[in-house]
Amino acid sequence: MVISRIIPCVLYSNGGLVKTIQFKSPNYIGDPINSLKLFNDKGVDEILFIDIDASKNNTPPKLKLIEEIASECFMPLAYGGGVKDIETIETLLKLGVEKISLNTALLKDNNLCQLAVKEFGSSTIIGSIDVKKNIFGSYKVYDHRLRKILKKDPVQYAKELEERGVGEIFLNNVDREGTMKGFDLNLVKMIGDA
């Protein structure tokens, strides 16, 4: 029997939650704390909070905001954005975050993943993979910070992250993000099968 879990992913930018379409044109949709209270009331299983500006602007996580969110959160909280080192991960975990989603840091630093897994365990580290089709229609890993399609194959990259010890993979198809077209089941199957 398949058990569904509801895990909203909320995007934070410029002081509020936003909705984007294909990683562009963020539109304000609400206050983070008020939105979190709604998710508490709805009984979601977990929440992934991503600061979409942090890595792009090379800024650290907003610790005061994250502490406030963690104190209001009645479900496991995962956080991503601007995490570049073990010390930041440790600080976030002490604030009440249960899982850390790494994306840009994994593309830049091959050692961070292994160090984080060794220090905090696989169940704490999420490997985030953004994927976009290139001009030939092939899936490739996308670097949102550089706004560039990389030569990396997402299936191989997912296997590499698994070998590095991540406990979960957060997979995001840039071409479908925010378009309300549903999941890219072909991409999910390719990576799941691998």
Side-chain angles (χ1 to χ4, degrees):
M1 176 169 91
V2 175
I3 298 173
S4 296
R5 299 185 70 231
I6 306 300
I7 307 172
C9 175
V10 295
L11 307 177
Y12 177 84
S13 177
N14 294 321
L17 297 185
V18 297
K19 182 70 177 143
T20 60
I21 297 175
Q22 297 176 333
F23 285 28
K24 299 176 198 160
S25 308
N27 288 313
Y28 177 83
I29 59 169
D31 173 72
I33 301 300
N34 288 334
S35 298
L36 183 65
K37 289 177 181 176
L38 290 171
F39 287 124
N40 282 336
D41 292 344
K42 296 294 182 188
V44 302
D45 296 297
E46 189 174 330
I47 193 156
L48 175 55
F49 185 92
I50 299 178
D51 182 339
I52 62 172
D53 297 331
S55 293
K56 184 172 50 177
N57 298 333
N58 199 28
T59 57
K62 293 168 181 60
L63 299 178
K64 186 173 169 62
L65 172 66
I66 296 163
E67 183 176 27
E68 188 177 357
I69 288 169
S71 70
E72 294 286 339
C73 201
F74 298 155
M75 77 287 290
L77 170 65
Y79 172 81
V83 179
K84 297 187 265 188
D85 54 48
I86 293 295
E87 293 78 18
T88 302
I89 295 172
E90 184 173 21
T91 300
L92 290 167
L93 295 175
K94 286 179 180 176
L95 292 177
V97 173
E98 294 187 29
K99 296 179 184 178
I100 305 297
S101 179
L102 300 174
N103 185 312
T104 301
L106 296 180
L107 292 171
K108 293 168 78 175
D109 182 354
N110 281 332
N111 294 320
L112 179 60
C113 186
Q114 289 93 319
L115 291 171
V117 167
K118 183 178 179 185
E119 185 75 23
F120 308 109
S122 287
S123 63
T124 304
I125 306 302
I126 300 169
S128 176
I129 306 173
D130 296 327
V131 177
K132 190 170 177 53
K133 285 187 176 178
N134 65 13
I135 60 171
F136 303 108
S138 299
Y139 292 113
K140 295 295 177 187
V141 173
Y142 179 76
D143 185 329
H144 68 277
R145 186 179 60 86
L146 300 176
R147 294 191 168 276
K148 180 179 178 182
I149 297 174
L150 306 178
K151 293 181 180 175
K152 286 181 178 281
D153 174 70
V155 174
Q156 289 306 117
Y157 187 52
K159 289 168 73 173
E160 179 184 323
L161 292 181
E162 180 184 35
E163 288 168 8
R164 289 199 234 166
V166 301
E168 297 178 22
I169 301 251
F170 172 56
L171 184 62
N172 199 2
N173 182 328
V174 178
D175 297 316
R176 285 185 179 235
E177 189 267 339
T179 64
M180 304 299 284
K181 292 181 182 173
F183 297 114
D184 184 339
L185 298 178
N186 181 50
L187 178 61
V188 172
K189 182 171 177 17
M190 286 169 53
I191 290 181
D193 287 349

